Amino acid sequence: MELKVRLCVLLLALSWCVTLMGEVRAQEETDDSELDVEDEVGDMGEDLDLDTEAEEEQEKAPTPPPAPAVTYKAPEPMGEHYFAESFDKGTLDDWVLSKAKKDDIDEDIAKYDGKWEVEELKDNKLPGDKGLVLKSRAKHHAISALLLRPFTFDTKPLIVQYEVNFQSGIDCGGAYVKLLSQTPDLDLDQFVDKTPYTIMFGPDKCGEDYKLHFIFRHKNPKTGEYEEKHAKKPDSDLRTYYTDKKTHLYSLVLNPDNSFEILIDNTVVNSGNLLNDMTPPVNPPAEIEDPDDHKPEDWDERPKIQDPDAVKPEDWDEDAPAKIPDEDAVKPDGWLDDEPEYIGDPDALKPEDWDEDMDGEWEAPQIPNPACESAPGCGKWERPMIDNPNYKGKWKPPMIDNPNYQGVWKPRKIPNPDYFEDLHPFRMTPFSAIGLELWSMSSDIFFDNFFITSDRNTAEKWANDGWGLKKAAEGAAEPGLVSNMITAAEERPWLWVIYVLTVALPLVLFIVFCCTGKKKPDTAASYKKTDEPQPDVKEEEEEKADEEEEEGEEAKGEEQTEEKNSDAEESPEEPAAKEEEEAETKEEDDDDDDDDDKTDEKQEEDVLRRSPRNRKPRKD
């Protein structure tokens, strides 16, 4: 009980503190409003000094903007690489805009006339950091650049990485790159969707389908034709990367052992093997179904058939309805048979422009009948429908196993004439350029820090110098958890109660239950101060002694009886002497009983003096 009282007092104190904080905040807001009013009054009285103050403000020098928490420095490629572009020069000198048109579409949208610009992020945390920005909506965009030298797939891995920021979100469109195959007729001015590429990699989204493409074009060694191979879809949820309006680093790592990894912000989101995790598979099956094989006409694929010997029972009524009126139903009292359920709105007016010749006769809209609101119902009463217990439906013969069942027919297998086995799909077509060929319904897609290399350390260094700085700047600019909580509480003051209870209540409970406890009370003292019964050990011992004494007396009486019997048998001629002895024995027993009674009374008085509320009745 004492613990509960303490806990209630502490909770009441917390509630009082929260209330006091709310009153203080309300008082501060009131003071602010009073200050605003006083300022307005003062401004009205100082209209004559406005010109002077304006001149003084013009003479004051503007305050410089606060220095950024992270200083930007353009990344520099260190080590072997094939392509590096940070756009910090502010130009597109090394890039080529496509002048081609798409085939098989309308002339109005066939041109690659989408605009590209080199500029900083809208919400830029690193002054001086620039990137390539897709500026147009609902247009085709194509831009490309040559590598320092072509990349050949041999014994070194391929690492491709770049940054993307969907500044305005993304509705439908892509932000993927294409690694253009090295061919004699490669012309970047005519870069279109059908330009041969070796790998396509990057984010793409339309509707609620969030994709991260990894596609490579594999050459059939038999036919020489190329076929696109798509990586499996990542298991992780990619929605956040498309909607948070932050800069993310997309990386693709291909290894000579045919393994691959796809990373976002240096975190693996997809991985696999080119031989096992691509669709369709790199290598075709060794056997295929014979296209000339046909199912025989008498082939029976039915596992179950209707029993031909079954007969419909004579009492089967197929015409019985599924529902019948409930004959036990009774019309409720107060049912209004003459009142319609809906009536014309009496307050409705015919529109002034209503033409009965063109629109027909005007009728007021129907509304529920007010008279039916207090009644159980209106209109013609009909019995409710219930399930028909005699309904069986249409009779059908029961199904039995088909004795002629032959299984599901499949064409026979034959060797695949186009079969081949390529155990090294990593050895793809070399590529010599990188390009962006996109259609997007969203604008302001930001690209930055393209990098292609075969050295992991070099790629990590480039990522840390570019994307790492952006991440650090965004983290420094973002408010901490405490700031976010305070801001939310300023908008919703009731959150202060939750904060206080969340922090203080566990602390209070910990102190109450762990730092305090009940002391074991002194037994003797508690019995003296309270009315609780005290076990009387002495009394129990006395009762036990009484029982033993009674048993001894009974045994003694039995011995005396036996002695009397034996004496009677031995000396029948002395009855008088025996009677005298019995009388003496009886007197002695009476004296003993008197002594016992006096002893019991004395013990009872001691018990009553020691514990008057625990007196027990004496046993007779």
Side-chain angles (χ1 to χ4, degrees):
M1 184 66 184
E2 182 180 357
L3 178 61
K4 293 182 179 179
V5 171
R6 291 182 185 178
L7 184 58
C8 292
V9 170
L10 289 173
L11 292 178
L12 290 174
L14 289 175
S15 302
W16 178 79
C17 292
V18 172
T19 306
L20 183 61
M21 292 174 62
E23 292 177 357
V24 170
R25 291 181 56 83
Q27 184 64 30
E28 290 177 355
E29 294 176 357
T30 305
D31 294 341
D32 292 339
S33 61
E34 291 176 358
L35 289 174
D36 293 338
V37 174
E38 292 176 0
D39 292 340
E40 291 176 1
V41 174
D43 292 339
M44 293 174 61
E46 296 175 359
D47 289 337
L48 298 176
D49 298 332
L50 289 177
D51 296 336
T52 305
E53 292 178 358
E55 293 176 358
E56 291 177 357
E57 291 177 358
Q58 292 177 359
E59 293 176 358
K60 292 181 181 179
T63 57
V70 180
T71 304
Y72 176 72
K73 181 182 178 182
E76 296 181 1
M78 305 294 291
E80 183 182 3
H81 64 282
Y82 295 84
F83 187 78
E85 179 61 80
S86 64
F87 300 101
D88 291 326
K89 296 179 181 179
T91 63
L92 293 173
D93 294 341
D94 298 330
W95 292 78
V96 179
L97 295 173
S98 177
K99 302 175 184 177
K101 294 182 180 181
K102 293 192 71 169
D103 298 333
D104 304 328
I105 61 173
D106 295 339
E107 184 70 19
D108 297 338
I109 60 174
K111 294 181 180 180
Y112 283 91
D113 54 354
K115 294 183 179 180
W116 300 89
E117 296 290 346
V118 176
E119 59 187 26
E120 296 183 0
L121 284 166
K122 291 181 177 180
D123 185 16
N124 191 24
K125 305 296 188 302
L126 287 175
D129 181 20
K130 298 180 180 179
L132 179 65
V133 181
L134 182 148
K135 301 294 293 182
S136 306
R137 297 178 65 255
K139 287 184 177 294
H140 291 285
H141 302 74
I143 191 171
S144 57
L146 290 172
L147 274 59
L148 298 177
R149 59 187 183 279
F151 183 91
T152 304
F153 296 88
D154 45 23
T155 59
K156 295 182 179 180
L158 168 66
I159 303 173
V160 182
Q161 64 186 31
Y162 68 104
E163 302 168 12
V164 177
N165 188 321
F166 298 104
Q167 300 182 89
S168 302
I170 181 71
D171 295 326
C172 186
Y176 45 80
V177 299
K178 290 183 177 180
L179 306 181
L180 305 181
S181 302
Q182 184 184 16
T183 58
D185 56 349
L186 178 61
D187 184 4
L188 300 184
D189 286 335
Q190 299 300 314
F191 176 34
V192 293
D193 58 329
K194 295 181 180 180
T195 300
Y197 67 89
T198 301
I199 292 175
M200 188 176 88
F201 166 67
D204 188 14
K205 185 249 180 183
C206 198
E208 291 301 317
D209 190 8
Y210 298 86
K211 300 178 181 178
L212 183 55
H213 291 299
F214 166 45
I215 305 170
F216 79 93
R217 296 173 71 243
H218 180 260
K219 184 178 180 180
N220 188 317
K222 280 195 170 184
T223 63
E225 297 179 353
Y226 286 89
E227 185 179 17
E228 291 183 351
K229 310 294 182 180
H230 296 249
K232 63 181 181 180
K233 189 174 181 180
D235 296 331
S236 55
D237 186 10
L238 306 178
R239 181 189 302 268
T240 304
Y241 303 112
Y242 296 77
T243 57
D244 61 2
K245 298 182 181 180
K246 294 182 180 180
T247 303
H248 296 286
L249 177 67
Y250 294 85
S251 305
L252 171 66
V253 180
L254 285 179
N255 298 308
D257 62 354
N258 299 322
S259 63
F260 69 87
E261 289 182 338
I262 299 175
L263 304 90
I264 302 180
D265 298 343
N266 291 330
T267 301
V268 177
V269 297
N270 196 3
S271 62
N273 191 283
L274 299 178
L275 288 172
N276 305 322
D277 300 303
M278 307 301 291
T279 305
V282 171
N283 296 315
E287 292 184 339
I288 61 172
E289 296 179 349
D290 186 0
D292 299 326
D293 190 15
H294 302 284
K295 182 175 71 172
E297 295 182 357
D298 59 348
W299 190 277
D300 195 344
E301 293 182 337
R302 300 172 300 166
K304 297 282 186 178
I305 60 172
Q306 294 181 351
D307 186 359
D309 299 330
V311 179
K312 184 176 73 172
E314 295 181 357
D315 59 348
W316 192 283
D317 186 3
E318 294 184 348
D319 299 329
K323 298 282 187 178
I324 59 174
D326 186 4
E327 298 297 336
D328 297 331
V330 179
K331 183 172 68 173
D333 295 336
W335 189 279
L336 304 178
D337 296 281
D338 299 332
E339 290 287 343
E341 187 175 358
Y342 291 93
I343 62 173
D345 187 359
D347 299 329
L349 300 176
K350 183 173 70 173
E352 296 180 356
D353 57 349
W354 187 275
D355 188 353
E356 294 189 355
D357 295 334
M358 298 292 295
D359 303 326
E361 184 180 357
W362 180 82
E363 295 180 357
Q366 297 289 304
I367 61 172
N369 190 347
C372 301
E373 293 180 358
S374 58
C378 294
K380 182 181 179 182
W381 182 80
E382 296 180 355
R383 298 179 183 275
M385 303 298 289
I386 60 174
D387 293 333
N388 185 358
N390 299 321
Y391 173 74
K392 296 182 180 180
K394 186 177 180 181
W395 182 84
K396 294 181 180 179
M399 303 298 290
I400 62 173
D401 293 333
N402 184 1
N404 299 322
Y405 176 65
Q406 296 175 274
V408 178
W409 182 86
K410 294 181 180 180
R412 62 174 177 267
K413 297 285 188 176
I414 61 174
N416 186 359
D418 299 326
Y419 173 73
F420 64 86
E421 187 177 27
D422 182 2
L423 299 179
H424 305 285
F426 171 76
R427 299 172 184 174
M428 306 176 190
T429 306
F431 61 90
S432 59
I434 183 173
L436 299 167
E437 188 270 320
L438 306 171
W439 164 273
S440 177
M441 294 301 295
S442 302
S443 60
D444 298 319
I445 302 177
F446 182 88
F447 299 87
D448 200 7
N449 294 332
F450 291 92
F451 197 68
I452 299 175
T453 183
S454 59
D455 183 66
R456 281 182 174 269
N457 295 330
T458 304
E460 291 177 1
K461 178 69 167 56
W462 176 269
N464 292 334
D465 293 345
W467 174 78
L469 281 179
K470 285 189 178 71
K471 183 179 180 182
E474 290 176 353
E478 288 182 354
L481 177 61
V482 177
S483 301
N484 289 332
M485 293 175 64
I486 293 175
T487 303
E490 288 177 352
E491 297 177 358
R492 295 174 288 275
W494 55 267
L495 287 175
W496 287 108
V497 178
I498 298 177
Y499 294 164
V500 171
L501 293 179
T502 303
V503 176
L505 187 58
L507 182 61
V508 171
L509 294 177
F510 177 80
I511 294 173
V512 170
F513 290 104
C514 296
C515 300
T516 61
K518 287 186 177 180
K519 295 182 179 180
K520 189 173 182 180
D522 187 2
T523 305
S526 63
Y527 284 130
K528 291 179 180 179
K529 296 179 180 179
T530 62
D531 293 339
E532 295 182 3
Q534 179 182 5
D536 196 346
V537 178
K538 187 175 180 180
E539 185 174 303
E540 293 178 357
E541 292 178 353
E542 293 175 354
E543 291 178 357
K544 187 175 181 181
D546 292 342
E547 292 177 357
E548 291 177 355
E549 186 176 352
E550 291 176 359
E551 291 177 357
E553 291 177 355
E554 291 178 358
K556 185 177 179 180
E558 291 177 356
E559 291 177 356
Q560 290 177 355
T561 304
E562 291 178 356
E563 290 177 356
K564 291 178 181 179
N565 294 333
S566 60
D567 292 340
E569 292 177 355
E570 292 176 357
S571 304
E573 54 278 340
E574 297 179 355
K578 292 182 180 179
E579 290 178 358
E580 292 178 359
E581 291 178 358
E582 290 178 357
E584 292 176 357
T585 303
K586 186 175 180 182
E587 291 177 357
E588 291 176 358
D589 292 340
D590 294 338
D591 294 337
D592 292 338
D593 292 338
D594 294 338
D595 294 339
D596 292 339
D597 293 340
K598 293 179 180 179
T599 303
D600 292 341
E601 291 176 358
K602 185 177 182 180
Q603 291 176 353
E604 184 176 0
E605 291 176 357
D606 293 338
V607 171
L608 292 173
R609 184 170 53 254
R610 180 175 61 253
S611 180
R613 289 182 176 82
N614 194 28
R615 182 166 60 87
K616 295 183 178 180
R618 186 179 63 179
K619 295 183 178 179
D620 293 333

Coordinates of all heavy atoms in Angstrom, one line a residue, residues 382-435:
E382 N -43.6 -7.9 -46.5 CA -43.4 -9.2 -47.1 C -42.6 -10.0 -46.1 O -41.7 -9.5 -45.4 CB -42.6 -9.1 -48.4 CG -43.4 -8.4 -49.5 CD -42.6 -8.3 -50.8 OE1 -41.4 -8.8 -50.8 OE2 -43.2 -7.8 -51.8
R383 N -42.9 -11.3 -46.1 CA -42.2 -12.2 -45.2 C -40.7 -12.3 -45.6 O -40.4 -12.4 -46.8 CB -42.8 -13.6 -45.2 CG -44.3 -13.6 -44.8 CD -44.8 -15.1 -44.9 NE -46.2 -15.1 -44.5 CZ -46.6 -15.2 -43.2 NH1 -45.8 -15.3 -42.2 NH2 -47.9 -15.2 -42.9
P384 N -39.8 -12.3 -44.6 CA -38.4 -12.5 -45.0 C -38.1 -13.9 -45.5 O -38.8 -14.9 -45.2 CB -37.7 -12.3 -43.6 CG -38.7 -12.6 -42.6 CD -40.0 -12.2 -43.2
M385 N -37.1 -14.0 -46.4 CA -36.8 -15.3 -47.0 C -35.7 -16.0 -46.1 O -34.8 -15.4 -45.5 CB -36.2 -15.0 -48.4 CG -37.1 -14.2 -49.3 SD -38.6 -15.1 -49.7 CE -38.0 -16.4 -50.7
I386 N -35.9 -17.3 -46.0 CA -35.0 -18.1 -45.3 C -34.5 -19.3 -46.2 O -35.1 -19.5 -47.3 CB -35.6 -18.7 -44.0 CG1 -36.8 -19.6 -44.4 CG2 -36.0 -17.6 -43.0 CD1 -37.5 -20.3 -43.2
D387 N -33.5 -20.0 -45.8 CA -33.0 -21.1 -46.5 C -34.0 -22.2 -46.6 O -34.6 -22.5 -45.5 CB -31.6 -21.6 -45.9 CG -30.5 -20.6 -46.1 OD1 -30.6 -19.8 -47.0 OD2 -29.6 -20.6 -45.2
N388 N -34.1 -22.8 -47.7 CA -35.1 -23.9 -47.9 C -34.4 -25.2 -47.4 O -33.4 -25.6 -48.0 CB -35.5 -24.0 -49.4 CG -36.5 -25.1 -49.6 OD1 -37.0 -25.8 -48.7 ND2 -37.0 -25.2 -50.9
P389 N -34.9 -25.9 -46.4 CA -34.3 -27.1 -45.9 C -34.4 -28.2 -46.9 O -33.6 -29.2 -46.8 CB -35.1 -27.4 -44.6 CG -36.4 -26.7 -44.8 CD -36.1 -25.5 -45.6
N390 N -35.3 -28.1 -47.9 CA -35.4 -29.2 -48.8 C -34.7 -28.9 -50.1 O -34.8 -29.7 -51.1 CB -36.9 -29.4 -49.2 CG -37.7 -29.8 -47.9 OD1 -37.2 -30.6 -47.1 ND2 -38.9 -29.3 -47.8
Y391 N -34.0 -27.8 -50.2 CA -33.2 -27.5 -51.4 C -32.0 -28.4 -51.6 O -31.2 -28.5 -50.6 CB -32.8 -26.0 -51.4 CG -31.9 -25.6 -52.5 CD1 -32.5 -25.5 -53.8 CD2 -30.6 -25.4 -52.3 CE1 -31.7 -25.1 -54.8 CE2 -29.8 -25.1 -53.4 CZ -30.3 -24.9 -54.7 OH -29.5 -24.6 -55.7
K392 N -31.9 -29.0 -52.7 CA -30.7 -29.8 -53.0 C -30.0 -29.4 -54.3 O -28.9 -29.8 -54.5 CB -31.2 -31.3 -53.2 CG -31.8 -31.9 -51.9 CD -32.2 -33.3 -52.1 CE -32.8 -33.9 -50.9 NZ -33.1 -35.3 -51.1
G393 N -30.6 -28.6 -55.1 CA -30.0 -28.1 -56.3 C -30.0 -29.1 -57.4 O -30.7 -30.2 -57.3
K394 N -29.3 -28.8 -58.5 CA -29.2 -29.7 -59.6 C -28.4 -31.0 -59.3 O -27.3 -30.9 -58.7 CB -28.7 -29.0 -60.8 CG -28.7 -29.9 -62.1 CD -28.2 -29.1 -63.3 CE -28.3 -29.9 -64.5 NZ -27.8 -29.2 -65.7
W395 N -29.0 -32.1 -59.6 CA -28.3 -33.4 -59.3 C -27.2 -33.6 -60.3 O -27.3 -33.4 -61.5 CB -29.3 -34.6 -59.3 CG -28.6 -35.9 -59.0 CD1 -28.4 -36.4 -57.7 CD2 -28.2 -36.9 -59.9 NE1 -27.8 -37.6 -57.8 CE2 -27.6 -37.9 -59.1 CE3 -28.1 -36.9 -61.3 CZ2 -27.1 -39.1 -59.7 CZ3 -27.5 -38.1 -61.9 CH2 -27.0 -39.1 -61.1
K396 N -26.0 -34.1 -59.7 CA -24.9 -34.5 -60.6 C -24.4 -35.8 -60.1 O -24.3 -36.1 -58.9 CB -23.8 -33.4 -60.5 CG -24.1 -32.1 -61.0 CD -23.0 -31.1 -60.9 CE -23.3 -29.7 -61.4 NZ -22.2 -28.8 -61.3
P397 N -24.0 -36.6 -61.0 CA -23.4 -37.9 -60.7 C -22.1 -37.7 -59.9 O -21.3 -36.8 -60.1 CB -23.1 -38.6 -62.0 CG -23.9 -37.9 -63.0 CD -24.1 -36.5 -62.5
P398 N -21.8 -38.5 -58.9 CA -20.6 -38.4 -58.1 C -19.4 -38.7 -59.0 O -19.5 -39.4 -60.0 CB -20.7 -39.5 -57.0 CG -21.7 -40.5 -57.6 CD -22.6 -39.7 -58.4
M399 N -18.2 -38.2 -58.6 CA -17.0 -38.4 -59.4 C -16.2 -39.6 -58.9 O -16.1 -39.8 -57.6 CB -16.1 -37.1 -59.3 CG -16.7 -35.8 -59.7 SD -17.2 -35.9 -61.5 CE -15.6 -35.8 -62.2
I400 N -15.7 -40.4 -59.8 CA -14.8 -41.5 -59.4 C -13.5 -41.5 -60.2 O -13.4 -40.7 -61.1 CB -15.6 -42.8 -59.8 CG1 -15.9 -42.9 -61.3 CG2 -16.9 -42.9 -59.0 CD1 -16.5 -44.2 -61.7
D401 N -12.6 -42.3 -59.8 CA -11.3 -42.3 -60.5 C -11.5 -42.8 -61.9 O -12.3 -43.8 -62.2 CB -10.3 -43.2 -59.8 CG -9.9 -42.7 -58.4 OD1 -10.0 -41.5 -58.2 OD2 -9.6 -43.5 -57.5
N402 N -10.8 -42.2 -62.8 CA -10.9 -42.5 -64.2 C -10.0 -43.8 -64.5 O -8.8 -43.7 -64.3 CB -10.4 -41.4 -65.1 CG -10.5 -41.6 -66.6 OD1 -11.0 -42.7 -67.0 ND2 -10.1 -40.7 -67.4
P403 N -10.6 -44.9 -64.8 CA -9.8 -46.1 -65.1 C -8.9 -45.9 -66.3 O -7.9 -46.7 -66.4 CB -10.8 -47.2 -65.3 CG -12.1 -46.5 -65.7 CD -12.0 -45.1 -65.0
N404 N -9.2 -45.0 -67.2 CA -8.4 -44.8 -68.4 C -7.4 -43.6 -68.3 O -6.9 -43.2 -69.4 CB -9.3 -44.6 -69.6 CG -10.2 -45.8 -69.9 OD1 -9.8 -47.0 -69.7 ND2 -11.5 -45.6 -70.2
Y405 N -7.2 -43.1 -67.1 CA -6.4 -41.9 -67.0 C -4.9 -42.3 -67.4 O -4.3 -43.3 -66.9 CB -6.4 -41.5 -65.5 CG -5.5 -40.3 -65.2 CD1 -5.7 -39.1 -65.8 CD2 -4.4 -40.5 -64.3 CE1 -4.9 -38.0 -65.5 CE2 -3.6 -39.4 -64.0 CZ -3.8 -38.2 -64.6 OH -3.0 -37.1 -64.4
Q406 N -4.3 -41.4 -68.2 CA -3.0 -41.7 -68.7 C -2.0 -40.6 -68.3 O -0.8 -40.6 -68.6 CB -3.0 -41.7 -70.2 CG -3.8 -42.9 -70.8 CD -3.9 -42.8 -72.3 OE1 -4.8 -42.2 -72.8 NE2 -3.0 -43.5 -73.0
G407 N -2.4 -39.6 -67.5 CA -1.5 -38.6 -67.0 C -1.6 -37.4 -68.0 O -2.1 -37.4 -69.1
V408 N -0.9 -36.3 -67.6 CA -0.8 -35.1 -68.4 C 0.2 -35.3 -69.5 O 1.4 -35.8 -69.3 CB -0.4 -33.9 -67.6 CG1 -0.3 -32.6 -68.5 CG2 -1.4 -33.6 -66.5
W409 N -0.2 -35.1 -70.7 CA 0.6 -35.4 -71.9 C 1.7 -34.3 -72.1 O 1.4 -33.1 -71.9 CB -0.2 -35.5 -73.2 CG 0.6 -35.8 -74.4 CD1 1.0 -37.0 -74.8 CD2 1.2 -34.9 -75.3 NE1 1.7 -36.9 -76.0 CE2 1.9 -35.6 -76.3 CE3 1.2 -33.5 -75.4 CZ2 2.6 -35.0 -77.3 CZ3 1.9 -32.9 -76.5 CH2 2.6 -33.7 -77.4
K410 N 2.9 -34.7 -72.3 CA 4.0 -33.7 -72.6 C 4.7 -34.2 -73.9 O 4.9 -35.4 -74.1 CB 5.0 -33.6 -71.5 CG 4.4 -33.0 -70.2 CD 5.4 -33.0 -69.1 CE 4.9 -32.4 -67.8 NZ 5.9 -32.3 -66.7
P411 N 5.2 -33.3 -74.7 CA 6.0 -33.7 -75.9 C 7.3 -34.4 -75.4 O 7.8 -34.1 -74.3 CB 6.2 -32.4 -76.6 CG 5.3 -31.4 -76.0 CD 5.0 -31.8 -74.6
R412 N 7.7 -35.2 -76.2 CA 9.0 -35.9 -75.9 C 10.2 -34.9 -76.0 O 10.1 -33.9 -76.7 CB 9.2 -37.1 -76.8 CG 9.3 -36.8 -78.3 CD 9.7 -38.0 -79.1 NE 9.7 -37.7 -80.5 CZ 8.7 -37.8 -81.4 NH1 7.5 -38.3 -80.9 NH2 8.8 -37.5 -82.6
K413 N 11.2 -35.2 -75.4 CA 12.4 -34.4 -75.4 C 13.4 -34.8 -76.5 O 13.5 -36.0 -76.7 CB 13.1 -34.5 -74.0 CG 12.4 -33.9 -72.8 CD 12.3 -32.4 -72.9 CE 11.7 -31.9 -71.6 NZ 11.7 -30.4 -71.5
I414 N 14.0 -33.8 -77.1 CA 15.0 -34.1 -78.1 C 16.2 -33.2 -77.9 O 16.1 -32.2 -77.2 CB 14.5 -33.9 -79.5 CG1 14.0 -32.4 -79.7 CG2 13.3 -34.8 -79.9 CD1 13.6 -32.0 -81.1
P415 N 17.4 -33.6 -78.3 CA 18.5 -32.7 -78.2 C 18.3 -31.3 -78.8 O 17.7 -31.2 -79.8 CB 19.6 -33.5 -78.9 CG 19.2 -34.9 -78.9 CD 17.7 -34.9 -79.0
N416 N 18.7 -30.3 -78.0 CA 18.6 -28.9 -78.5 C 19.6 -28.7 -79.6 O 20.8 -28.7 -79.3 CB 18.8 -28.0 -77.3 CG 18.5 -26.5 -77.7 OD1 18.2 -26.2 -78.8 ND2 18.6 -25.7 -76.7
P417 N 19.1 -28.4 -80.8 CA 20.1 -28.1 -81.9 C 20.9 -26.8 -81.7 O 22.0 -26.6 -82.2 CB 19.2 -28.0 -83.1 CG 17.9 -27.7 -82.6 CD 17.7 -28.3 -81.3
D418 N 20.3 -25.9 -80.8 CA 21.0 -24.6 -80.6 C 21.8 -24.6 -79.2 O 22.2 -23.5 -78.8 CB 20.0 -23.5 -80.6 CG 19.3 -23.3 -81.9 OD1 19.9 -23.6 -82.9 OD2 18.1 -23.0 -81.9
Y419 N 22.0 -25.8 -78.7 CA 22.6 -25.8 -77.4 C 24.1 -25.4 -77.5 O 24.8 -25.7 -78.4 CB 22.5 -27.2 -76.8 CG 23.3 -27.4 -75.5 CD1 22.9 -26.8 -74.3 CD2 24.5 -28.1 -75.5 CE1 23.6 -27.0 -73.1 CE2 25.3 -28.2 -74.3 CZ 24.8 -27.7 -73.2 OH 25.5 -27.8 -72.0
F420 N 24.5 -24.6 -76.5 CA 25.9 -24.3 -76.3 C 26.2 -24.1 -74.8 O 25.2 -24.0 -74.0 CB 26.3 -23.0 -77.1 CG 25.6 -21.8 -76.6 CD1 26.1 -21.0 -75.5 CD2 24.4 -21.4 -77.2 CE1 25.5 -19.9 -75.1 CE2 23.8 -20.3 -76.7 CZ 24.3 -19.5 -75.7
E421 N 27.4 -24.1 -74.4 CA 27.8 -23.9 -73.0 C 28.9 -22.9 -73.0 O 30.0 -23.1 -73.4 CB 28.3 -25.2 -72.4 CG 28.5 -25.1 -70.9 CD 28.9 -26.5 -70.3 OE1 29.5 -27.3 -71.0 OE2 28.7 -26.6 -69.1
D422 N 28.5 -21.7 -72.4 CA 29.5 -20.7 -72.2 C 29.7 -20.5 -70.7 O 28.9 -20.1 -70.0 CB 28.9 -19.3 -72.8 CG 29.9 -18.2 -72.6 OD1 31.0 -18.4 -72.1 OD2 29.6 -17.1 -73.0
L423 N 30.9 -21.0 -70.3 CA 31.2 -21.0 -68.9 C 31.9 -19.7 -68.4 O 32.2 -19.5 -67.2 CB 32.2 -22.1 -68.5 CG 31.6 -23.5 -68.8 CD1 32.6 -24.6 -68.4 CD2 30.3 -23.8 -68.0
H424 N 32.1 -18.7 -69.3 CA 32.7 -17.5 -69.0 C 31.9 -16.3 -69.6 O 32.4 -15.6 -70.4 CB 34.1 -17.4 -69.5 CG 35.0 -18.6 -69.1 ND1 35.5 -18.6 -67.8 CD2 35.4 -19.7 -69.7 CE1 36.2 -19.8 -67.7 NE2 36.1 -20.4 -68.8
P425 N 30.7 -16.1 -69.1 CA 29.9 -15.0 -69.6 C 30.4 -13.6 -69.2 O 30.0 -12.6 -69.8 CB 28.5 -15.2 -69.0 CG 28.8 -16.1 -67.8 CD 29.9 -16.9 -68.1
F426 N 31.4 -13.6 -68.3 CA 32.0 -12.3 -67.9 C 32.7 -11.7 -69.1 O 32.9 -10.5 -69.2 CB 33.0 -12.6 -66.8 CG 33.8 -11.4 -66.4 CD1 33.3 -10.3 -65.7 CD2 35.2 -11.3 -66.8 CE1 34.1 -9.2 -65.5 CE2 36.0 -10.2 -66.5 CZ 35.4 -9.2 -65.9
R427 N 33.2 -12.5 -70.0 CA 33.9 -12.0 -71.2 C 33.0 -11.5 -72.2 O 32.6 -12.0 -73.2 CB 34.8 -13.2 -71.8 CG 35.8 -13.7 -70.8 CD 36.5 -15.0 -71.4 NE 37.4 -15.6 -70.4 CZ 38.1 -16.7 -70.6 NH1 37.9 -17.4 -71.7 NH2 38.9 -17.2 -69.7
M428 N 32.5 -10.3 -71.9 CA 31.5 -9.6 -72.7 C 32.2 -8.8 -73.8 O 33.4 -8.7 -73.9 CB 30.6 -8.7 -71.8 CG 30.0 -9.4 -70.7 SD 29.0 -8.3 -69.6 CE 28.7 -9.3 -68.2
T429 N 31.3 -8.1 -74.6 CA 31.8 -7.3 -75.6 C 32.5 -6.0 -75.0 O 31.9 -5.4 -74.1 CB 30.7 -6.8 -76.6 OG1 30.0 -8.0 -77.1 CG2 31.2 -6.0 -77.7
P430 N 33.7 -5.7 -75.4 CA 34.3 -4.5 -74.9 C 33.5 -3.2 -75.2 O 32.7 -3.2 -76.1 CB 35.7 -4.4 -75.6 CG 35.9 -5.8 -76.1 CD 34.6 -6.4 -76.4
F431 N 33.6 -2.2 -74.3 CA 32.8 -1.0 -74.5 C 33.8 0.2 -74.4 O 34.8 0.1 -73.7 CB 31.7 -0.8 -73.4 CG 32.2 -0.8 -72.0 CD1 32.5 0.4 -71.4 CD2 32.3 -2.0 -71.3 CE1 32.9 0.4 -70.1 CE2 32.7 -1.9 -70.0 CZ 33.0 -0.7 -69.4
S432 N 33.4 1.2 -75.1 CA 34.3 2.4 -75.3 C 33.7 3.7 -74.9 O 34.3 4.8 -75.0 CB 34.9 2.4 -76.7 OG 33.8 2.6 -77.6
A433 N 32.4 3.7 -74.5 CA 31.7 5.0 -74.2 C 30.7 4.7 -73.2 O 30.2 3.6 -73.0 CB 31.1 5.6 -75.5
I434 N 30.3 5.8 -72.5 CA 29.2 5.8 -71.5 C 28.1 6.8 -71.9 O 28.4 7.8 -72.5 CB 29.7 6.1 -70.1 CG1 28.6 6.0 -69.1 CG2 30.4 7.5 -70.1 CD1 29.1 6.1 -67.6
G435 N 26.9 6.4 -71.8 CA 25.8 7.3 -72.2 C 24.6 7.2 -71.4 O 24.3 6.2 -70.6

